[in-house]
Structures are given as C-alpha cells and as structure tokens.
C-alpha cells in the first residue's frame, strides 16, 4: 500500500478521485483510514494509506448491462 499526505482543504472524494482514479473508491479509502473517518475536510500534513486497487476492485462507470 502507498501513502498520500493531504493538502489543506482535501476531502475524501477529491483524494479518491485524484489518487485512486474514481470517487467510487471513497469507501475503500475511508476503510483503510478509519482513524480519520470523522474528518470531512483535511488540514495539510495528514498521512493517509491508499488502498490497492486491483482489476477485481475496479469500478466501471458503465451500468452492469453495458459492461
């Protein structure tokens, strides 16, 4: 697993989008960083663990019938 150090104003969905490729991974990101679950907007310098995203966990933006 890799890490990400937050910038002032970072939010879960922005971090998931920029670091993991999709806002759909917010729950996985939060699960990997439960100690910060009550934080909505981060200050600078918080070190978060980034979950590993594999082919099996990738989220498709297409509905199931179009995949």
């Amino acid at each position: 697993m890799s890490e990400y150090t937050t910038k002032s104003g970072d939010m879960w969905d922005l971090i998931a989008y920029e670091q993991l490729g999709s806002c759909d991974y917010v729950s996985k990101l939060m699960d990997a960083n439960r100690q910060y679950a009550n934080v909505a907007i981060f200050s600078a310098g918080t070190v978060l663990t980034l979950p590993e995203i594999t082919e099996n966990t990738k989220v498709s933006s297409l509905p199931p019938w179009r995949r």
Side-chain angles (χ1 to χ4, degrees):
M1 288 193 181
S2 57
E3 294 180 336
Y4 171 72
T5 303
T6 61
K7 301 179 300 281
S8 182
D10 274 349
M11 295 184 294
W12 290 107
D13 56 345
L14 178 66
I15 298 166
Y17 178 77
E18 290 181 347
Q19 300 300 312
L20 303 174
S22 175
C23 292
D24 295 332
Y25 297 127
V26 168
S27 61
K28 290 190 177 303
L29 180 60
M30 291 181 82
D31 284 345
N33 297 281
R34 291 183 186 268
Q35 69 272 34
Y36 302 112
N38 63 339
V39 177
I41 301 173
F42 288 92
S43 56
T46 303
V47 179
L48 300 177
T49 300
L50 298 176
E52 188 172 326
I53 303 300
T54 63
E55 285 298 318
N56 293 339
T57 58
K58 284 195 176 176
V59 177
S60 173
S61 60
L62 294 175
W65 60 89
R66 304 243 6 235
R67 292 184 194 156

